[in-house]
């Protein structure tokens, strides 16, 4: 059957023009863009602080649920109501030509609405720097989803002659693909039907990826709906046919078409055909991976055994899908040198025993099933084996970079020999506790890791790099051995901290700080029993080590920074320093060093400051705070009076905000020191924070529970690789989406915070001046008594005591009143600042919602004025209404 484009075009033009002939069409577009703006720029948009349309994407299926029936309700229902459908079917046009013409007209109307909604993109561009590839795929997904749903809305309009009923039926029919996952959950078929839900197929587009399975899903859905439209169009011919049960035959045909297309879509789901449109090509294998796979020796093949649960909670469906997809790409590119084996694992099965033999155990994941929270055992691990070595990845969490883990494991087992990392024994107990720290377990995936004792001379040739965490806790003899090693010029990575909050499971806090005495390693009641511990070298200042490295580091001072780009972390004190290039006035990461040039953001907890000493060695800052920072001394951020006998831990004192004075300088938190002096060499990296290597960041990197990804682990592993001299994985490890933020919003908020900080300092200064005046009054009274020559010594002493007690009471009362007044003023300043920030967000939200509607209003007004003018120009003068003077 020949399809004539000119006929389709005529039907298309008729329906498209009729939609915009009245006010209703423009009204629907205005409502569409206004609702889209309200959903896109809601409160969570500012919390996320990223220039993307994630919030709109999350709600878009529900938005289509009401907009699509509004567009399609008149397509057939209005024709039947006015009787023009019979005239339409008598024209020299086939049913398919009429159907395609009408379908293309509603798609064009929807496309016009999407074009108007692109005003959201201009808002994003104004506020930040969006990923244009991500924006393009997101809008392509919007268009595909809408085009598919329009075919379902047309089917609803075909069933009735009443537009209101057509609208309601359209919602019901369109709700099926939107809520099929929830329906499947109620029927116990959630995993089976979830893959056919609109949200599931639509999700990849919002990530910047166009998958084959989603394309086929939307095309198949559209074909099935249009086929049902065509079937209902031909109902008027059924009564003239002699075949029995013609309706039943068409129903069987429709079901057959739906089943075939569903099978094709399901098959496509097992493919890895995806177009990655993101700016960083994050869903395509990197050049580094290609190079490593090309260098594999087919004489020594590598096997990857992936142990996977057949069914995983919905939170891990995407992770499992990405893991399988990447493994297929590895299998294809590796050729004969690489083989991938997939093992479906059920708990307590033979396959589970095999997985546990390799150290892969199920991870208990909390999930929601049928509205109830429950635990599920999930296997998502892999073991990479060669004739040389074996690497186990116990669990691929949501936040773990899958490609990096697989590529690193392949490279590690492909080499006959690994590099060695020495871990110095200190009070941090990285390897001497009940279990190894996460950093040690992570290093063991790539290196041989061995414990190094500082109590004897350190063999510099026994390992390729030495990791020293909290060397300030070493004794004098141990420190001498470490300094001797450092002066050899062998690679050294040092982590020390003025206030180590979270050293693994030890929870050092105040008692683990360099300023505090060395803790006893002897047992007994509450740590007693036995001789006292040796003293720390240089009183915990690590003076000898700092002199050898040519740097300065104050062992009891920490850096604070008011630069906090995450509203969801607003409750954290400024001593939680966010190191980020976004929206700051300094380069927080050294872009010329391979360790940090690919990093985007990390966080340090109560870090110290590293400074250059002398000019003998090359000093290169790696991590730097913003200029909204300063330095606090020990007594300004630690409340030792809050020392808890049972927890053996003091507390940080964030209440002392007046001590935080921004000095306008950028403070170095980590630096690389290299060079050679007259008597020794240096090749070291000194990091003034231990908390960044705590277990929390390694676990979070795997599980991905936070809304923000920090590069703490990446920085540490990059530092080790760089010192070892192996840069194979540095670029790949640093690969993740660019941290794009709402720069304009951040700049405005920074002005508010700077003004608030200045006002708080002024309030504190006024309080200090008032207290000083009260102290002077006490001094004057004491001086008057002392200078009174008429009083005998005994009377003078009594009066002095009475005066001091009285004035001290007045001073204490005055101090309390002044402190209360100052705190009230500070609370007022903060409340004002919060109101300013909320007002700014409300203003942006208001204009983001209203501005997209203006072009639609303007176009509607222009078309209306044009129609009025055309009508006036076509009316002859004799038929015009005469006005009586």
């Amino acid at each position: 059957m020949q399809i004539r484009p000119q006929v389709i075009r005529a039907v298309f033009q008729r329906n498209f023009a009729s939609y915009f002939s009245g006010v209703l069409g423009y009204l629907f577009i205005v409502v569409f863009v206004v609702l889209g703006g309200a959903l896109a720029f809601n409160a969570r948009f500012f919390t996320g602080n990223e220039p993307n349309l994630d919030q709109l994407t999350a709600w878009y299926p529900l938005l289509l649920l009401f907009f699509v029936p509004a567009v399609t309700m008149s397509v057939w229902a209005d024709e039947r109501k006015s009787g023009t459908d019979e005239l339409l079917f008598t024209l020299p046009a086939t049913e398919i030509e009429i159907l395609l013409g009408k379908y293309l007209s509603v798609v064009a109307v929807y496309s016009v609405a999407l074009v108007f909604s692109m005003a959201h993109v201009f808002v994003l561009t104004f506020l930040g720097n969006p990923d244009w590839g991500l924006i393009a795929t997101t809008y392509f997904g919007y268009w595909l989803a809408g085009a598919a749903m329009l075919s379902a809305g047309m089917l609803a309009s075909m069933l009735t002659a009443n537009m209101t009923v057509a609208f309601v039926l359209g919602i019901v029919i369109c709700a099926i693909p939107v809520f099929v996952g929830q329906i499947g959950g109620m029927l116990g078929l959630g995993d089976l039907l979830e893959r056919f839900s609109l949200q599931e197929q639509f999700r990849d587009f919002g990530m910047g990826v166009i998958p084959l399975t989603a394309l086929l899903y939307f095309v198949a859905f559209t074909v099935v709906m249009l086929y049902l439209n065509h079937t209902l169009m031909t109902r008027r011919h059924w009564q003239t046919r002699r075949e029995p049960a013609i309706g039943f035959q068409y129903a069987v045909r429709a079901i057959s078409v739906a089943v075939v297309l569903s099978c094709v879509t399901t098959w496509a789901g097992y493919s890895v055909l995806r177009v990655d449109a993101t700016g960083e090509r994050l869903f395509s294998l990197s050049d580094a991976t290609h190079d490593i796979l090309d260098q594999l020796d087919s004489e020594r093949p590598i096997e990857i055994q992936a142990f996977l649960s057949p069914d995983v909670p919905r939170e891990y469906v995407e992770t499992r899908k990405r893991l399988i997809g990447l493994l297929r790409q590895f299998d294809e590119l590796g050729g004969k040198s690489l083989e991938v084996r997939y093992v479906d694992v059920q708990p307590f099965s033979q396959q589970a025993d095999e997985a546990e033999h390799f150290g892969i155990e199920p991870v208990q994941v909390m999930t929601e099933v049928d509205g109830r929270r429950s635990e599920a055992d999930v296997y998502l691990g892999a073991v990479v084996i060669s004739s040389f070595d074996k690497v186990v990845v116990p669990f691929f969490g949501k936040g773990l970079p899958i490609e990096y883990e697989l590529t690193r494991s392949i490279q590690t087992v492909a080499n006959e020999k690994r590099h060695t990392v020495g871990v110095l024994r200190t009070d941090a107990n990285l390897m001497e506790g009940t279990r190894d720290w996460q950093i040690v377990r992570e290093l063991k995936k790539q290196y041989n890791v061995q414990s190094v004792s500082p109590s004897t001379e350190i063999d510099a040739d026994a390992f390729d790099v030495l990791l020293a965490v909290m060397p300030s806790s070493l004794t004098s003899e141990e420190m001498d051995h470490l300094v001797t090693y450092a002066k050899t010029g062998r690679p050294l990575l040092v982590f020390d901290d003025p206030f180590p909050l979270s050293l693994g499971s030890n929870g050092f806090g105040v008692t683990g700080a360099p300023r505090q005495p060395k803790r006893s390693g002897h047992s007994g009641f509450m740590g007693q029993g036995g001789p006292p511990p040796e003293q720390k070298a240089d009183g915990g200042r690590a003076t000898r080590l700092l002199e050898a490295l040519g740097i300065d580091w104050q062992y009891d001072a920490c850096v604070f920074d008011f630069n906090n780009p995450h509203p969801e972390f607003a409750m954290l004190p400024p001593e939680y320093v966010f190191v980020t290039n976004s929206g700051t006035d300094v380069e927080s990461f050294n872009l010329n060093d391979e360790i940090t040039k690919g990093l985007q953001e990390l966080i340090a907890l109560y870090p110290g400051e590293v400074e250059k000493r002398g000019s003998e060695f090359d000093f290169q800052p790696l991590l730097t705070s913003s200029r909204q920072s300063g330095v606090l001394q020990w007594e300004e951020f630690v409340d030792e009076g809050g020392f808890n006998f049972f927890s053996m831990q003091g507390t940080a004192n964030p209440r002392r905000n007046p001590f935080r004075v921004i000095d306008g300088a950028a403070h170095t938190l980590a630096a690389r020191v290299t060079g050679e002096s007259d008597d020794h060499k240096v090749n070291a990296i000194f990091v003034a924070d231990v908390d960044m290597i705590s277990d929390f960041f390694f676990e979070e990197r795997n599980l991905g529970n936070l809304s923000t990804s920090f590069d703490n682990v990446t920085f540490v592993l990059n530092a080790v690789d760089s010192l070892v001299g192996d840069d194979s994985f540095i670029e790949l490890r640093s690969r993740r989406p660019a941290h794009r933020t709402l720069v304009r919003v951040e700049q405005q908020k920074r002005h508010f915070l700077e003004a608030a900080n200045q006002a708080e300092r002024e309030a504190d200064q006024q309080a200090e001046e008032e207290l000083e005046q009260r102290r002077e009054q006490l001094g004057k009274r004491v001086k008057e008594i002392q200078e009174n020559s008429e009083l005998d010594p005994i009377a003078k002493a009594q009066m002095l005591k009475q005066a001091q007690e009285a004035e001290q009471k007045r001073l204490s009362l005055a101090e309390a009143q002044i402190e209360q007044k100052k705190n009230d003023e500070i609370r007022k300043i903060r409340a004002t600042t919060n109101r300013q920030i909320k007002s700014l967000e409300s203003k942006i939200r208001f204009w983001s919602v209203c501005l997209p509607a203006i072009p639609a209003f303007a176009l509607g007004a222009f078309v209306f004025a044009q129609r009025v003018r055309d009508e006036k120009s076509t009316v002859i003068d004799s038929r015009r209404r005469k006005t009586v003077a």
Side-chain angles (χ1 to χ4, degrees):
M1 180 180 62
Q2 184 179 5
I3 297 178
R4 295 164 294 177
Q6 64 274 18
V7 177
I8 297 175
R9 189 183 310 114
V11 177
F12 166 81
Q13 291 174 346
R14 170 181 175 271
N15 283 267
F16 184 76
S18 66
Y19 189 85
F20 290 101
S21 61
V23 180
L24 197 59
Y26 299 98
L27 180 61
F28 283 152
I29 292 178
V30 168
V31 172
F32 177 75
V33 296
V34 168
L35 283 177
L39 295 173
F41 302 101
N42 58 21
R44 292 183 63 86
F45 170 77
F46 295 98
T47 300
N49 196 36
E50 295 181 3
N52 56 40
L53 294 173
D54 285 354
Q55 303 308 315
L56 176 58
T57 301
W59 289 94
Y60 202 76
L62 293 179
L63 183 61
L64 288 179
L65 193 59
F66 293 94
F67 180 71
V68 165
V71 173
T72 59
M73 64 183 181
S74 62
V75 172
W76 295 114
D78 195 41
E79 297 271 13
R80 296 179 63 184
K81 181 179 179 180
S82 59
T84 56
D85 60 329
E86 295 297 334
L87 177 63
L88 184 64
F89 290 134
T90 58
L91 295 177
T94 64
E95 285 91 348
I96 292 181
E97 291 169 343
I98 295 172
L99 176 62
L100 291 178
K102 282 185 169 291
Y103 175 68
L104 292 178
S105 68
V106 294
V107 170
V109 171
Y110 174 68
S111 301
V112 170
L114 268 187
V115 169
F116 279 110
S117 74
M118 285 185 179
H120 305 327
V121 180
F122 291 102
V123 174
L124 295 178
T125 306
F126 176 77
L127 296 177
N129 179 30
D131 184 338
W132 293 107
L134 174 62
I135 296 296
T137 57
T138 300
Y139 264 92
F140 181 57
Y142 291 166
W143 186 84
L144 269 181
M149 297 278 275
L150 287 168
S151 61
M154 287 178 60
L155 178 64
S157 183
M158 175 70 74
L159 297 173
T160 179
N162 187 299
M163 286 197 296
T164 303
V165 176
F167 178 79
V168 175
L169 287 176
I171 292 177
V172 172
I173 295 177
C174 291
I176 295 175
V178 172
F179 297 111
V180 67
Q182 289 87 330
I183 296 172
M186 291 186 291
L187 299 176
L189 302 173
D191 295 332
L192 177 63
L193 297 181
E194 180 71 27
R195 69 187 62 179
F196 293 104
S197 69
L198 184 68
Q199 289 94 330
E200 177 68 19
Q201 300 295 336
F202 181 64
R203 179 174 52 192
D204 285 341
F205 292 96
M207 297 167 55
V209 177
I210 304 176
L212 173 63
T213 175
L215 285 174
L216 290 179
Y217 169 83
F218 288 119
V219 170
F221 184 86
T222 303
V223 169
V224 170
M225 290 295 109
L226 291 180
Y227 180 79
L228 293 176
N229 271 271
H230 181 262
T231 300
L232 294 179
M233 287 175 66
T234 59
R235 279 187 306 175
R236 65 184 191 280
H237 302 308
W238 292 359
Q239 296 179 356
T240 62
R241 299 194 178 186
R242 295 181 180 178
E243 293 91 342
I246 188 67
F248 176 76
Q249 294 182 24
Y250 271 100
V252 172
R253 294 178 190 176
I255 293 173
S256 300
V257 170
V259 170
V260 170
L261 293 177
S262 298
C263 293
V264 172
T265 303
T266 303
W267 165 82
Y270 292 98
S271 72
V272 293
L273 298 178
R274 301 156 68 90
V275 176
D276 182 3
T278 56
E280 292 79 18
R281 298 293 187 269
L282 294 169
F283 300 95
S284 305
L285 291 182
S286 65
D287 293 337
T289 299
H290 281 275
D291 293 341
I292 289 174
L293 293 177
D294 291 340
Q295 296 171 7
L296 295 180
D297 185 2
S298 59
E299 298 298 323
R300 295 185 178 275
I302 296 173
E303 182 184 20
I304 301 178
Q305 298 186 38
F307 295 90
L308 313 171
S309 294
D311 299 311
V312 296
R314 65 178 59 196
E315 294 88 351
Y316 284 87
V317 168
E318 180 61 27
T319 303
R320 185 180 186 276
K321 183 190 297 184
R322 284 200 60 217
L323 175 58
I324 292 176
L326 285 172
L327 284 172
R328 284 182 178 149
Q329 293 187 55
F330 275 90
D331 194 11
E332 180 180 348
L333 295 173
K336 296 180 180 179
S337 303
L338 181 67
E339 180 183 352
V340 179
R341 173 179 172 238
Y342 304 92
V343 181
D344 287 339
V345 185
Q346 296 285 0
F348 308 107
S349 63
Q350 182 179 352
Q351 292 78 9
D353 294 337
E354 183 182 357
E356 292 176 12
H357 169 74
F358 289 113
I360 299 174
E361 297 182 351
V363 173
Q364 289 189 337
V365 177
M366 292 298 298
T367 185
E368 186 173 320
V369 179
D370 299 334
R372 297 180 179 178
R373 298 289 293 175
S374 61
E375 285 187 348
D377 289 339
V378 178
Y379 286 91
L380 276 180
V383 56
V384 184
I385 305 174
S386 74
S387 57
F388 291 135
D389 208 340
K390 175 184 71 175
V391 173
V392 178
V393 183
F395 186 74
F396 289 91
K398 293 179 293 184
L400 200 67
I402 299 176
E403 182 191 356
Y404 159 70
E405 288 290 335
L406 292 174
T407 303
R408 180 180 65 169
S409 301
I410 291 171
Q411 174 77 332
T412 300
V413 302
N415 296 327
E416 185 174 359
K417 188 177 180 181
R418 294 191 188 189
H419 291 290
T420 302
V421 174
V423 177
L424 191 69
R425 295 177 191 167
T426 66
D427 286 359
N429 290 329
L430 265 67
M431 298 182 67
E432 284 72 36
T434 55
R435 66 171 190 166
D436 293 344
W437 281 31
Q438 289 277 7
I439 183 176
V440 174
R441 280 177 272 174
E442 184 70 23
L443 290 173
K444 286 181 177 179
K445 295 179 182 178
Q446 183 176 347
Y447 298 102
N448 290 322
V449 181
Q450 67 180 39
S451 179
V452 177
S453 172
S455 58
T456 58
E457 185 177 343
I458 299 174
D459 183 4
D461 297 325
F463 40 81
D464 299 286
V465 62
L466 179 63
L467 173 62
V469 179
M470 296 299 295
S472 59
S473 65
L474 297 176
T475 63
S476 182
E477 182 183 4
E478 293 171 340
M479 180 63 74
D480 287 337
H481 292 146
L482 175 59
V483 171
T484 301
Y485 170 86
K487 288 183 176 181
T488 64
R490 297 285 293 173
L492 173 65
L493 177 57
V494 178
F495 289 87
D496 219 319
D497 195 324
F499 190 73
L501 284 178
S502 52
L503 292 181
S505 60
N506 297 317
F508 268 25
V510 171
T511 57
R515 175 172 171 147
Q516 299 298 91
K518 190 174 179 67
R519 298 198 305 177
S520 174
H522 299 281
S523 60
F525 177 72
M526 301 305 295
Q528 299 180 10
E534 296 185 57
Q535 296 301 311
K536 295 179 180 179
D538 308 314
R541 292 175 175 83
T543 307
R544 278 168 275 181
L545 178 62
L546 298 177
E547 289 176 351
L549 299 180
I551 60 175
D552 283 325
W553 165 72
Q554 190 173 345
Y555 80 131
D556 59 353
C558 82
V559 175
F560 68 88
D561 193 339
F562 282 97
N563 174 50
N564 183 345
H566 302 287
E568 67 269 33
F569 300 139
M571 76 294 296
L572 296 178
E575 289 75 35
Y576 281 58
V577 178
F578 291 87
V579 182
T580 173
N581 282 331
S582 174
T584 61
D585 48 6
V586 297
E587 288 186 351
S588 298
F589 295 105
N590 188 336
L591 302 182
N592 297 318
D593 196 290
E594 60 182 354
I595 297 175
T596 51
K597 68 179 181 181
L599 305 187
Q600 298 181 37
E601 183 175 19
L602 58 77
I603 183 172
L605 282 59
Y606 289 82
E609 179 183 18
V610 188
E611 295 180 296
K612 183 177 181 181
R613 173 192 295 184
S615 58
E616 292 181 316
F617 305 120
D618 180 37
F619 180 90
Q620 292 293 328
L622 297 177
L623 306 177
T624 308
S625 71
S626 75
R627 297 191 186 277
Q628 295 178 266
S629 60
V631 177
L632 288 175
Q633 300 302 315
W634 178 267
E635 62 276 3
E636 294 174 340
F637 68 90
V638 171
D639 182 10
E640 291 189 276
F643 187 85
N644 188 306
F645 181 75
F646 290 98
S647 66
M648 297 298 290
Q649 181 170 330
T651 59
N653 188 0
R655 297 181 293 104
R656 295 192 172 184
N657 293 303
F659 288 113
R660 299 190 186 113
V661 178
I662 297 176
D663 55 24
H667 300 277
T668 300
L669 310 181
R672 184 199 287 267
V673 186
T674 56
E676 183 175 357
S677 67
D678 295 336
D679 59 347
H680 69 276
K681 300 178 182 179
V682 168
N683 180 17
I685 294 175
F686 190 97
V687 184
D689 182 55
V690 168
D691 301 306
M692 71 168 57
I693 64 171
S694 65
D695 287 357
F696 169 81
F697 291 105
F698 286 85
E699 292 169 356
E700 173 55 33
R701 174 176 175 262
N702 190 8
L703 298 177
N705 292 325
L706 292 180
S707 59
T708 302
S709 297
F710 294 111
D711 290 323
N712 290 42
V713 175
T714 303
F715 167 73
V716 175
L717 298 180
N718 284 356
V720 174
D721 284 2
S722 179
L723 288 172
V724 167
D726 182 5
D727 60 355
S728 305
F729 306 113
I730 291 179
E731 182 179 354
L732 178 59
R733 187 186 291 123
S734 305
R735 192 175 182 231
R736 71 179 182 91
H739 186 207
R740 307 169 194 266
T741 60
L742 306 178
V743 179
R744 194 174 294 269
V745 178
E746 286 181 343
Q747 291 174 348
Q748 190 62 50
K749 288 182 179 180
R750 188 173 300 112
H751 293 321
F752 295 152
L753 293 174
E754 287 175 354
N757 184 262
Q758 178 63 29
E760 289 183 14
R761 290 203 301 268
E762 292 175 357
D764 179 60
Q765 185 176 357
Q766 290 175 1
E768 287 294 329
E769 290 175 356
E770 190 171 350
L771 281 173
E772 187 60 32
Q773 291 175 0
R774 297 299 180 94
R775 295 189 189 102
E776 289 178 0
Q777 291 176 3
L778 173 60
K780 287 179 181 179
R781 178 58 179 156
V782 171
K783 187 176 181 182
E784 288 176 0
I785 296 174
Q786 289 175 339
E787 293 177 351
N788 191 344
S789 58
E790 298 178 357
L791 297 175
D792 60 82
I794 296 177
K796 185 180 292 188
Q798 291 177 344
M799 291 185 65
L800 278 174
K801 182 178 179 182
Q802 292 173 358
Q804 286 176 343
E805 289 178 353
E807 290 298 327
Q808 187 61 47
K809 289 181 181 178
R810 295 192 189 98
L811 182 61
S812 298
L813 179 60
E815 285 179 344
Q817 292 174 342
I818 293 171
E819 184 73 16
Q820 181 64 40
K821 179 182 176 183
K822 180 189 69 177
N823 291 335
D824 291 342
E825 184 66 23
I826 290 175
R827 282 195 294 269
K828 180 180 177 182
I829 292 169
R830 292 182 177 178
T832 302
T833 304
N834 290 334
R835 284 196 300 270
Q836 289 174 326
I837 293 175
K838 289 181 180 178
S839 175
L840 172 67
E841 294 178 353
S842 298
K843 251 183 225 180
I844 295 174
R845 189 180 301 117
F846 173 79
W847 288 110
S848 300
V849 171
C850 294
L851 285 178
I854 294 177
F857 273 121
L859 179 62
F862 173 78
V863 173
F864 178 75
Q866 188 75 17
R867 286 187 58 190
V868 171
R869 192 188 61 133
D870 292 343
E871 289 174 358
K872 287 183 178 180
S873 64
T874 56
V875 177
I876 59 177
D877 292 339
S878 61
R879 294 185 60 83
R880 294 181 184 275
R881 179 181 296 175
K882 305 296 182 182
T883 57
V884 180

